Every structure is written in C-alpha cells, then in structure tokens.
Amino acid sequence: MFMLAMLCEVLPVVAALSVVAVLAVPLWREKLPRPVRLDGSSRPDAAARWTLASGAALLVLFAVTVTVMRFHRIRLGGQDYSWWRYSIPLLAACLVLLVVAVLLVSYRRQPAEPVAPTHPRTWRSFTGTSQLWLFGSCAFALILFVAFAGSASSPDDEGRYRWLVIDTGATGGMVADFFGWAYGLPAAAAALVLLVLTVLVLHLNAVRPFFTPNSVGAEEASRSAFSYMVVCFGAGAVLLTLARALNTASSAAGVSLASEGYSFDTTLAAASPWLLGLSYLVQFFALFLLMTVVAVAVRRPQPQAATVHG
Amino acid sequence: MAEYSAEQIAAHFRGLILSGRMGAGDRLPTVRQTARDLGVAVTTAAKAYRALESSGFVVTKGAAGTRVAAQPSVLPGVVLGHVRDAVAEAQKSGISESDLLNAVQAVWRDRP
C-alpha cells in the first residue's frame, strides 16, 4: 500500500518523463502533429495553441497539488460539502475552451485572397475518428462511473448522496465520504458542457475562411494540429476527474469497521484495490494527454512552405 | 481584391461538378460557409445556390443540405479524361493554371 501511495506521489513525474521519452524518440515524435508557422497578423492559431497549452499546464499543476494534498490528508474545499470538488478541472477546462472560442471568433479577418470552398467543413473535418472515439470513451466512462458510484451511495443528514455506509445492523454503522450523486451529477453535467464546448471549438476552428490560396495547406495542417490538442485537452480533463473519483471511491470502499469482535466491510470492499489501481492508470493517462498538449505547443513550428500543397 | 458575384460562385461549383470533382450526392458547403470563405454577403451565396438549383445541378432538401443532383449534365468522360491529362502534363512541365486556361481559350477561339 505504501508503494502505491508513493507511486501516486511520483505519478506526475512519471507522466512528464514519459512525454519527454516520447518526444526524444524521433519515430514517436513524428507521430505528434507539428504546428505550422503562419503569418501572425492573419491567424489566431498560435495564440489559441498557447492558451490551450497554458490551460493544460494549469490542470497538470492542479493534479499535482491535489495529489500532494491527498497524501497529507487535506481535502480540496475542506470537510464540508462542495459540489464543485470533483468538477473543478472540468469547469476550468470549460473556461479555457470558452476563451479559445472567443479568440477564434474575435480574430476574424477578411481573406486577403478568397479561397472558393470545394467541400463542406464541419467540426469533424480536421479531427480523426480515433480522436473522437478517445474523447467519447472518456466521457462515457466518467458518466458510467457516476451512475455506478451514485447507485452505491447513501444520503447524508441533508439528503445529499455523498456517503458510503457500512451497515452493521443493530450495532449501528459508519459512513465514509464517497463520490455519490451529490458530486457525480455536477461532474457529469460539467463533462457534458465540456463536450459541447469541445465540439464548438472544433467547429469554429474548421469553418474559418482560408487567408490565401497559397496558405491553404499550411492552414489545414495548423487546424489539424489544433484539433488534436483540443481533443487531448478535453479528454485529459475528463480523465483527471475520473481518476479523482476512482481514488475517492477506492478509499471509501476500503474502509472497514471493527465492532463487538466482528469486522464489517463496505459492499464495495472487494473492488477497492482495483479501483485504486485503475485510478492511477487513468491519472497517468490523463497527465500524459495534458502534457502532450503542452508538448505539441512547444514544438518548433515548421515553416509554411513545407506544408503548402501544389 | 474583386468581390465574387453570384454568377462567379455558381460557375465555380458548376466547374467542380462538370470536372467530376464533385459527384452525384456530394454535399456542397453551406451557404454561410461559402459566403464566409469568399467574403461575400450570405444573400449573394444563396443567390448562386438558387441559380445552381434552377439549372438542375444541385438539389436542396432541408436538413440534408444542398447536394449535387443525381444526374447533372456532366462533361463526357472522354473530354474529362483529356482535360485531366492536359492538367497533369501542364503541372509536370511547370505550366501555370492561368497559362493553361489562356491556351485552352486561344485554341477554342481558333476553331472554325
């Protein structure tokens, strides 16, 4: 158990090292999209990329802070109930995407030389199917876990479903703080809002007019790289929330009560170690995705000429 | 920069359809996207789409959007093949699009 707790402490470092390792191997590095240097006065791409990367870095910092706080048994928001306790990374991600959306909308420029469209451009135009599956699966996993944990939760004195109860029958029982409906529903709602905002940003990114016929190739490459970042950012935020929820559920499920010579476990006691292992795995993946966003942003943009189609 | 007229927009899509770059059932960009991309008013783009529809090149079906009609009048395959060959040859030789178009027009005018 101590080893697992230590692993939890160093997980962000492991994720950071993994991203560095990925970037160090040319074969893997080439798989990451590379931003394109565009004329700064004409496109908001660089500003949008950096906004997203800053948001991702803040989420990573948040994850590290919460991990350290948990290690020292300090709870985010104190001991009282705070509906936003688990939703906060999702709400922060929503805010970042909102800023990005405003950037994309407010940076409208009339094309220098209009490019007649040849096909419809939608939110899916610059996003791969695998990326959509990634985000969809993450959101679905979170909502599924909200339903699972919510159905296992019990209400507190004020009717908020945030406890996991050990029922010992006549001898009384005890409660542990749990990821019940009271935390799960706001998290699920925030995840849905994030999903909608992600689609909105992907749409705004796709429908922008091209600046000149010569820059179409470069702009398409830049939009693909940006879409990749947006999806990784959204999925990372969702997974970060899921990891925290799994961790809390595992802690609550692992509680046992000794009373009158008997030991009583929660109904989820058998799942506790699995939930803990899963939370570390999910957190690693979340940090990996968020750091990938930062990694794409800090890559040296390739010159525009290299991407222009003939 | 000269602004696109509805006729020019319609001619652009007619060209895409006739050259086989847009097949039957293919979706056209939305009127709004076309207007935004070309920097024209939405009404201008809508006028172009109406012209295409009235000439039978496209059909508009509510939520399904505007699509290339099932049997628009297209160039015969032989002609289209020659056009493609000429474009490929011109690109290989480094001839620009405008030079090729000028040559085609000159040849067209020279014919009795």
Side-chain angles (χ1 to χ4, degrees), chain A residues 108 110-122 203 207-210 310, chain B residues 1-2 4 12-13 16 21-22 27-30 33-34 36-40 91:
Chain A
R108 270 193 191 150
Q110 200 71 348
E113 199 179 328
V115 181
T118 55
H119 56 275
R121 292 196 307 278
T122 67
H203 169 78
V207 299
R208 290 179 289 153
F210 295 110
Chain B
M1 180 189 77
Y4 271 74
H12 161 70
F13 285 113
L16 290 177
R21 283 179 68 188
M22 290 186 96
R27 206 169 179 163
L28 267 70
T30 60
Q33 186 194 321
T34 300
R36 200 186 290 122
D37 281 2
L38 297 175
V40 298
Q91 283 178 334

Side-chain angles (χ1 to χ4, degrees), chain A residues 6 10 27 55 57 73 88 90 94 113 127 146-147 160 162 168 178 181 193 208 211 220 230 253 260-261 269 304:
Chain A
M6 283 302 291
V10 300
L27 191 70
R73 306 217 173 279
I88 200 153
L90 294 168
C94 286
E113 199 179 328
T127 318
V146 165
R160 291 184 292 235
R162 63 187 188 106
T168 56
F178 189 61
W181 292 118
V193 172
R208 290 179 289 153
F211 201 56
E220 282 182 340
V230 170
E260 297 180 357
Q304 198 179 125

Side-chain angles (χ1 to χ4, degrees), chain B residues 32-55:
Chain B
R32 198 173 289 273
Q33 186 194 321
T34 300
R36 200 186 290 122
D37 281 2
L38 297 175
V40 298
V42 175
T43 48
T44 307
K47 193 177 164 193
Y49 276 47
R50 276 197 301 276
L52 285 168
E53 198 175 359
S54 61
S55 55

Side-chain angles (χ1 to χ4, degrees), chain A:
Chain A
M1 207 61 187
F2 179 73
M3 285 299 288
L4 278 175
M6 283 302 291
L7 178 67
C8 186
E9 279 277 270
V10 300
L11 206 58
V13 180
V14 173
L17 288 176
S18 305
V19 170
V20 171
V22 164
L23 289 174
V25 179
L27 191 70
W28 290 344
R29 191 172 53 212
E30 290 314 310
K31 285 190 186 301
L32 278 181
R34 193 173 169 191
V36 182
R37 188 180 294 117
L38 296 170
D39 177 9
S41 63
S42 61
R43 302 288 94 173
D45 295 51
R49 268 200 308 272
W50 279 108
T51 307
L52 211 56
S54 308
L58 278 176
L59 284 183
V60 171
L61 198 66
F62 168 81
V64 174
T65 309
V66 168
T67 305
V68 172
M69 283 170 71
R70 191 164 51 217
F71 196 68
H72 295 289
R73 306 217 173 279
I74 304 166
R75 297 187 68 203
L76 187 70
Q79 293 304 315
D80 294 333
Y81 168 72
S82 315
W83 66 268
W84 46 263
R85 182 169 291 156
Y86 294 90
S87 322
I88 200 153
L90 294 168
L91 295 172
C94 286
L95 193 69
V96 170
L97 287 186
L98 214 56
V99 172
V100 169
V102 169
L103 253 176
L104 292 177
V105 170
S106 60
Y107 222 93
R108 270 193 191 150
R109 291 283 185 281
Q110 200 71 348
E113 199 179 328
V115 181
T118 55
H119 56 275
R121 292 196 307 278
T122 67
W123 64 278
R124 289 197 57 181
S125 297
F126 298 99
T127 318
T129 311
S130 56
Q131 293 167 31
L132 294 177
W133 271 104
L134 168 75
F135 196 6
S137 325
C138 294
F140 183 68
L142 177 65
I143 289 169
L144 209 63
F145 187 69
V146 165
F148 166 74
S151 58
S153 65
S154 297
D156 63 6
D157 299 335
E158 292 173 45
R160 291 184 292 235
Y161 280 76
R162 63 187 188 106
W163 282 348
L164 187 64
V165 175
I166 300 180
D167 189 8
T168 56
T171 56
M174 75 174 281
V175 293
D177 200 56
F178 189 61
F179 183 75
W181 292 118
Y183 293 118
L185 287 180
L192 287 177
V193 172
L194 182 66
L195 200 69
V196 171
L197 279 171
T198 302
V199 172
L200 175 75
V201 169
L202 291 176
H203 169 78
L204 291 173
N205 177 45
V207 299
R208 290 179 289 153
F210 295 110
F211 201 56
T212 64
N214 288 337
S215 68
V216 170
E219 287 195 63
E220 282 182 340
S222 178
R223 289 175 198 197
S224 292
F226 184 66
S227 293
Y228 179 87
M229 290 173 73
V230 170
V231 173
C232 285
F233 177 74
V238 169
L239 287 184
L240 212 55
T241 307
L242 180 60
R244 288 182 63 212
L246 284 165
N247 198 287
T248 300
S250 161
S251 303
V255 169
S256 64
L257 170 68
S259 172
E260 297 180 357
Y262 293 100
S263 177
F264 297 92
D265 291 326
T266 65
T267 49
L268 300 175
S272 176
W274 293 101
L275 291 173
L276 187 66
L278 199 60
S279 79
Y280 291 151
L281 193 71
V282 170
Q283 192 182 13
F284 172 78
F285 196 44
L287 292 170
F288 189 86
L289 286 174
L290 291 170
M291 286 183 194
T292 302
V293 174
V294 180
V296 173
V298 299
R299 286 191 82 185
R300 187 197 298 270
Q302 58 187 326
Q304 198 179 125
T307 59
V308 173
H309 301 315

